[in-house]
Structure formats: C-alpha cells, structure tokens
Amino acid sequence: MAAIAGISAVALDNARLDVQAGEVMALMGANPQRVYVVTSAVGGAMAGLAGALLIIQYAVHPFFGAAFGPITFMICVLGGLGNMVGAFVASFIMSEVIAVSGVIWSTEMGYVIAFVVFIVMIFVRPGGILARRG
Amino acid sequence: MAARALGFVLLLGLAVLPFVPMAGMRQYALHVLVQIFIWSFIGGAWALMGRFGLTSLGHGAFLGLGAYTSTLLWNSFGLSPWLGAVAAVLLTAGVAVIVAYPCSRFQVVGHYFGLVTLAVGEVVRLLIIAERDWTGGSLGLTLKTAGAGGSLLAAQSADKRTFYYAALVVWLIGLWVWVRLDRSMARAAMEAIGEDEVAAASVGVHVARFKLAITALSAALTAFGGVVYAQYITYVNPETLAGIGVSLRIVFAVVLGGMYSWLGPTVGTALTITLQEYLRVKFGLRLIGMAETIYGLLLVVFIIFLPAGIYGSVRALLARRRAPAPATA
C-alpha cells in the first residue's frame, strides 16, 4: 500500500510541475523543456522504485503493471492533483475500501466499490478529498 | 484535382466492396475484413463523442454491456438477438445517460471526464467477472448454437459471407450517422460546447441536452457494434469486450486514423487490424511478444508525428495543395 502511495506520488509530481511549466516559466528564466524532461525522469524513477517495492508482495509477470494503472489514476485524482498528502490519504482510503469489501464480499466487488467511490467523489469533490470547499 | 481523384477511388472502392466475397476469397481474409468493418463502426461511434472533446476512455463499458445483454438474453431465455440488440441498445443508452447526466451536471469535462469513463469501463468489466455464476466470469461465454447451418432468427450463420454483408451494412450505417450528424445543427452546437461550455450556454445552446444526446447516441451505436461482434465471434469475454484494454484499443485506432474526418476511424482501424494481423502472422511463434512490441512502437510514433491522424493529415495535405488555386483564379 505504501508502494501504491509511491506510484501516486509520481504522477502527482509530474502533474504539478507540468501545470507550472507553461509559457510564463520561460519568461521567468526557467527552461520548461528541461523541467519537463527532469520531472518525467523523476516520475519514471519513482514508479520504478514503487514497482520494485511491490515485488515484495506480488508475483512478477509481463502484465504486472497493467493491474495498477487505473487504480493509480483514481488515487491521484482522489487525493487531488498536486497534493502529496492527499494522495497518501487517498491511497489509504482506497486500499482499505478494496481490502475490507474484498473480505466481506469478493475481490472484484472490492474494486467495483472502489471505482464507484471514486466516481462519486469526483462529482462531489473534484479538487480531491483534502481540497478546500470552494 | 487530387481530392476529386481521392473521391473517385473511394466511390470505386465502395462499388467493389459488395462483390469482394464472390471472388473466392480465403476465409481468413474475409474474417479480417469483417473485423475491420465492425471495429470501424465502433470506432466511428467513439469518434462521435471524441471529436467534440468528450474523450471517453470507457467505451468498453458500452461494448461489453451490449454484447453481454444480447448474449445472456439469448442463452438464458432464448430471446432472438434481433430483439436482444434492441434491449442492449436501450439498456446501454440508459446507462450512458446515467453516467453522463452527473458529468454534465457537475461540469466534469476534459481529463476528469476521461477518468470517470475509465472507471465506468473497469466497473463493467469487474462486475462481469464478479457475477461469474451467470456471466461466465473471466472464462467468457459461448453463444448457444441454433443449429449447424445457422439460423436467421438467431442471427447466426456458418457462412462468413453472410457476416461480411451484415458488417458492411452496419459500417455503412455508421458512416451515414456520421454524415447526418456532420451536416446537422447539432454539430455546430457540439463544437461550441467542446470549445467552451459556458460560452456555448451563454449564446443559448442547451449544453446538458446536447451532451446527453451525443453520449447516448455514441453508447447506443457502440452497444450495437458489441452485439454484432458477439454474433459473429459467438463468444464473449470480459477482457476483450469490456474494461480498459478494449477501450484504449478503440481510442488508439481512431486517433491514429483521425477522429475529425468521416473516414478517419475506418482508416485507423483498418491499419491497426491489418498491422496486428500481419505482425502476428509474420512473427508467429518465433519471437513471442515481438509483434505487440512493434505494434506499440509504431502507434507511439504515428501518434506523436501525425497528431491529426493519418487520414486527417492526408486530407490536410490535399487541402493545402488545393488552397492556392482560388487565389490565382
């Protein structure tokens, strides 16, 4: 679960700097292209680290990454893009929802509930769970 | 001139298409063509939404709902797929409205809309797997056969040519819907909504109504495509008909071909399917995974260098060449 938080942190990092790396940035003297390349590299490195950590708990196979794709997106948005603490909280909420309903019901239904929670949350709080109500 | 030549070639191709199976074609080639028609139709249905900025990453949900509805109705109750298709289309359109209504109510657009639809696609896939007692779960479901020779009532046929003509008609219907929409007022309204919702609303465009309508239309056509695919393959599986995998496959093919032009989805789908089949046959069992790797790399290259899609780029090139003519005249 910590690893899931790690993966979400990656995408968050990317997203936050991406937003800032606009035309204004070039005017301020920073090189947007360089920021873009560096953040992508850092993001990739962190995702790689998260993957390496996930091996502790999961088996390795070529389709290993695919299972985490959608849920990682969901966690990032649920936590609020650019909000690291939010992503951490969101990954705990998501993993608890999946784990608890997985025990009570079934693994698939656990994921179904997690996705439904995400859909509802995007309607109710599009800025993420920790965002101030605007 | 070039555009007229292109139009002529297209018309000629269209005129030849019905006679293709009579030339004693191999079953395999016919199978590939049928697949191209069906997936082009589905891609076109996706592009109806995609071209107006409603980037859905969950069309697998509608595809799966359609295919499973008609299949389950036929297998469990013996309801003819002709009626099953109607039920599937209605159900899917209903689901699409249920998803799209809160999206337009809470102004979920852009990336967020993509994520919501992505989640919906996964929900449908997981629900099919979870309800394995009557949907067959991950193992999928085989359509009950109606007899060796096939049957019109069950929309089954042992002859691939039947499905070739059916798929051709379905594909033409898809193109007809596209052209009709392209010429209607709805297109102007949808384009305005795609650019800026608030601005569109301020000039009197009913944003919610148009968005719901286009989503329902796109979902209904996708569901119909799913039914046709299920009838042809006579087997449904949650991995191939629902979820993120197939949703992205549809999106890739259409983006590759170009989603702003009426033939774009067809060009993209034809190219991805033939490429996939060619690489699969070429590499066979020698280098397992190589075909997918090359396919993926080519997709990345095409999408980076041809953002308007292949058909879109070709058309833009022709238009540019034609553009100076009126200036000199």
Side-chain angles (χ1 to χ4, degrees), chain B residues 161-242:
Chain B
R161 278 175 297 182
T162 320
F163 276 103
Y164 177 85
Y165 288 116
L168 183 66
V169 169
V170 166
W171 176 67
L172 287 173
I173 291 172
L175 289 184
W176 178 75
V177 170
W178 176 285
V179 172
R180 271 299 298 273
L181 188 81
D182 209 43
R183 288 181 183 163
S184 69
M185 280 298 287
R187 180 202 169 186
M190 278 311 298
E191 265 175 359
I193 292 170
E195 295 284 330
D196 189 337
E197 282 193 12
V198 181
S202 73
V203 293
V205 175
H206 200 307
V207 176
R209 190 190 295 164
F210 275 109
K211 276 171 88 171
L212 284 187
I214 198 85
T215 311
L217 177 68
S218 173
L221 289 179
T222 311
F224 186 63
V227 173
V228 176
Y229 184 79
Q231 288 302 321
Y232 174 55
I233 302 287
T234 65
Y235 169 74
V236 284
N237 183 299
E239 304 296 331
T240 54
L241 283 173

Side-chain angles (χ1 to χ4, degrees), chain B residues 50-302:
Chain B
R51 64 188 291 215
F52 299 124
L54 289 166
T55 317
S56 158
L57 299 177
H59 258 49
F62 306 135
L63 195 67
L65 270 177
Y68 267 87
T69 307
S70 76
T71 306
L72 284 171
L73 283 174
W74 166 249
N75 273 10
S76 313
F77 306 109
L79 187 73
S80 164
W82 297 101
L83 292 172
V86 175
V89 164
L90 290 178
L91 177 81
T92 312
V95 170
V97 168
I98 291 172
V99 174
Y101 179 73
C103 279
S104 83
R105 171 79 179 69
F106 293 101
Q107 289 223 330
V108 175
V109 290
H111 299 341
Y112 287 88
F113 183 76
L115 280 172
V116 168
T117 48
L118 187 78
V120 172
E122 282 294 286
V123 164
V124 169
R125 182 180 73 90
L126 289 163
L127 277 177
I128 292 170
I129 297 176
E131 296 295 317
R132 53 177 67 80
D133 291 338
W134 51 285
T135 59
S138 307
L139 293 175
L141 205 61
T142 310
L143 260 76
K144 277 186 190 156
T145 48
S151 119
L152 185 65
L153 186 71
Q156 290 179 3
S157 171
D159 194 349
K160 278 208 190 321
R161 278 175 297 182
T162 320
F163 276 103
Y164 177 85
Y165 288 116
L168 183 66
V169 169
V170 166
W171 176 67
L172 287 173
I173 291 172
L175 289 184
W176 178 75
V177 170
W178 176 285
V179 172
R180 271 299 298 273
L181 188 81
D182 209 43
R183 288 181 183 163
S184 69
M185 280 298 287
R187 180 202 169 186
M190 278 311 298
E191 265 175 359
I193 292 170
E195 295 284 330
D196 189 337
E197 282 193 12
V198 181
S202 73
V203 293
V205 175
H206 200 307
V207 176
R209 190 190 295 164
F210 275 109
K211 276 171 88 171
L212 284 187
I214 198 85
T215 311
L217 177 68
S218 173
L221 289 179
T222 311
F224 186 63
V227 173
V228 176
Y229 184 79
Q231 288 302 321
Y232 174 55
I233 302 287
T234 65
Y235 169 74
V236 284
N237 183 299
E239 304 296 331
T240 54
L241 283 173
I244 186 169
V246 67
S247 308
L248 291 183
R249 242 187 67 188
I250 298 170
V251 178
F252 283 150
V254 177
V255 171
L256 187 69
M259 62 173 140
Y260 300 105
S261 29
W262 63 294
L263 270 182
T266 306
V267 170
T269 313
L271 204 78
T272 47
I273 289 182
T274 43
L275 187 68
Q276 219 171 7
E277 291 292 316
Y278 172 75
L279 290 172
R280 192 172 62 82
V281 173
K282 177 104 179 140
F283 282 99
L285 293 171
R286 273 183 296 129
L287 276 166
I288 292 172
M290 203 58 195
E292 277 84 0
T293 312
I294 293 176
Y295 175 69
L297 282 176
L298 279 175
L299 274 188
V300 171
V301 169
F302 272 124

